[in-house]
Protein backbone atom coordinates (compact mmCIF):
# COMPACT_ATOMS: atom_id res chain seq x y z
CA UNK A 1 0.00 0.00 0.00
CA UNK A 2 1.50 3.39 -0.99
CA UNK A 3 2.45 5.78 1.75
CA UNK A 4 0.76 9.17 1.51
CA UNK A 5 2.53 12.15 2.98
CA UNK A 6 1.02 15.31 4.27
CA UNK A 7 1.18 18.22 1.84
CA UNK A 8 3.74 19.98 4.06
CA UNK A 9 6.12 17.01 3.75
CA UNK A 10 5.70 16.96 -0.03
CA UNK A 11 6.40 20.70 -0.18
CA UNK A 12 9.51 20.27 1.96
CA UNK A 13 10.78 17.46 -0.26
CA UNK A 14 10.14 19.45 -3.45
CA UNK A 15 11.76 22.54 -1.94
CA UNK A 16 14.83 20.48 -0.97
CA UNK A 17 15.04 18.97 -4.47
CA UNK A 18 14.89 22.41 -6.11
CA UNK A 19 17.46 23.76 -3.65
CA UNK A 20 19.87 20.96 -4.62
CA UNK A 21 19.39 21.78 -8.30
CA UNK A 22 20.21 25.47 -7.77
CA UNK A 23 23.75 26.45 -8.70
CA UNK A 24 25.97 29.45 -9.18
CA UNK A 25 26.93 29.46 -12.87
CA UNK A 26 28.94 31.70 -15.16
CA UNK A 27 26.52 33.68 -17.33
CA UNK A 28 28.42 32.62 -20.45
CA UNK A 29 27.24 29.02 -19.85
CA UNK A 30 23.62 30.16 -20.14
CA UNK A 31 24.01 31.99 -23.46
CA UNK A 32 22.28 29.34 -25.58
CA UNK A 33 19.24 29.38 -23.29
CA UNK A 34 19.20 33.17 -23.46
CA UNK A 35 19.31 32.99 -27.27
CA UNK A 36 16.25 30.71 -27.12
CA UNK A 37 14.39 33.25 -24.97
CA UNK A 38 14.19 30.89 -22.01
CA UNK A 39 16.04 32.84 -19.31
CA UNK A 40 14.00 34.74 -16.75
CA UNK A 41 15.62 37.24 -14.39
CA UNK A 42 14.43 37.25 -10.79
CA UNK A 43 14.98 40.27 -8.54
CA UNK A 44 17.28 39.63 -5.56
CA UNK A 45 14.44 40.31 -3.10
CA UNK A 46 12.60 37.13 -4.14
CA UNK A 47 13.56 33.69 -2.87
CA UNK A 48 14.74 31.83 -5.98
CA UNK A 49 13.84 28.40 -4.59
CA UNK A 50 10.33 29.52 -3.57
CA UNK A 51 9.75 31.06 -6.98
CA UNK A 52 10.95 27.89 -8.71
CA UNK A 53 8.57 25.89 -6.51
CA UNK A 54 5.66 28.16 -7.54
CA UNK A 55 6.62 27.78 -11.20
CA UNK A 56 6.80 24.00 -10.90
CA UNK A 57 3.27 24.07 -9.43
CA UNK A 58 2.12 26.32 -12.28
CA UNK A 59 0.82 29.00 -9.90
CA UNK A 60 -0.11 31.25 -12.83
CA UNK A 61 -1.80 34.05 -10.85
CA UNK A 62 1.14 34.51 -8.48
CA UNK A 63 3.65 34.38 -11.31
CA UNK A 64 1.61 36.85 -13.37
CA UNK A 65 1.58 39.24 -10.40
CA UNK A 66 5.38 38.98 -10.12
CA UNK A 67 5.68 39.72 -13.85
CA UNK A 68 3.34 42.71 -13.63
CA UNK A 69 5.26 44.14 -10.68
CA UNK A 70 8.60 43.72 -12.46
CA UNK A 71 9.96 41.12 -10.06
CA UNK A 72 10.37 38.68 -12.99
CA UNK A 73 11.23 39.45 -16.58
CA UNK A 74 12.99 37.90 -19.53
CA UNK A 75 16.67 38.83 -19.38
CA UNK A 76 17.16 41.90 -21.57
CA UNK A 77 19.84 42.16 -24.24
CA UNK A 78 21.51 44.93 -22.23
CA UNK A 79 21.58 42.83 -19.05
CA UNK A 80 22.92 39.79 -20.92
CA UNK A 81 25.66 41.91 -22.49
CA UNK A 82 26.60 43.45 -19.13
CA UNK A 83 26.83 40.02 -17.47
CA UNK A 84 28.90 38.69 -20.36
CA UNK A 85 31.30 41.64 -20.29
CA UNK A 86 31.67 41.35 -16.50
CA UNK A 87 32.14 37.57 -16.71
CA UNK A 88 29.37 37.47 -14.09
CA UNK A 89 28.08 34.49 -12.18
CA UNK A 90 24.38 34.13 -11.45
CA UNK A 91 22.33 31.80 -9.31
CA UNK A 92 20.30 29.57 -11.62
CA UNK A 93 17.72 26.82 -11.48
CA UNK A 94 15.85 25.09 -14.29
CA UNK A 95 12.08 24.85 -14.18
CA UNK A 96 11.34 23.53 -17.65
CA UNK A 97 11.16 25.17 -20.07
CA UNK A 98 12.63 28.13 -18.17
CA UNK A 99 15.96 28.90 -16.57
CA UNK A 100 15.44 31.26 -13.63
CA UNK A 101 18.48 33.42 -12.84
CA UNK A 102 19.26 35.78 -10.02
CA UNK A 103 22.17 38.18 -9.72
CA UNK A 104 23.24 38.46 -6.10
CA UNK A 105 26.52 40.27 -6.76
Amino acid sequence: MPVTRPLEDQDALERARINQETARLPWRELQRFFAQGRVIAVVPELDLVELALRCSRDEAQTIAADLEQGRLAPVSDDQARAWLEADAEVWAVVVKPWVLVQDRA
Side-chain angles (χ1 to χ4, degrees):
M1 180 170 199
V3 176
T4 57
R5 297 179 189 222
L7 188 55
E8 298 83 28
D9 288 350
Q10 291 174 5
D11 284 351
L13 289 172
E14 183 67 8
R15 198 172 280 106
R17 182 192 65 77
I18 290 170
N19 190 50
Q20 289 178 335
E21 293 175 359
T22 303
R24 192 150 177 87
L25 296 172
W27 171 250
R28 68 182 171 278
E29 291 184 18
L30 299 171
Q31 288 298 292
R32 72 180 172 115
F33 301 103
F34 170 72
Q36 296 169 351
R38 294 186 178 191
V39 183
I40 305 295
V42 179
V43 296
E45 295 79 31
L46 287 182
D47 184 314
L48 187 61
V49 172
E50 286 300 317
L51 178 64
L53 183 63
R54 292 196 322 252
C55 289
S56 72
R57 291 182 184 154
D58 198 23
E59 293 182 12
Q61 287 182 324
T62 306
I63 295 164
D66 286 336
L67 284 165
E68 284 179 26
Q69 295 173 8
R71 294 186 297 233
L72 302 177
V75 172
S76 69
D77 291 344
D78 289 340
Q79 181 64 71
R81 191 175 307 107
W83 283 339
L84 190 60
E85 290 171 1
D87 198 25
E89 286 188 339
V90 294
W91 282 100
V93 63
V94 174
V95 181
K96 289 184 179 183
W98 309 109
V99 179
L100 304 177
V101 298
Q102 193 171 52
D103 183 10
R104 291 193 179 169

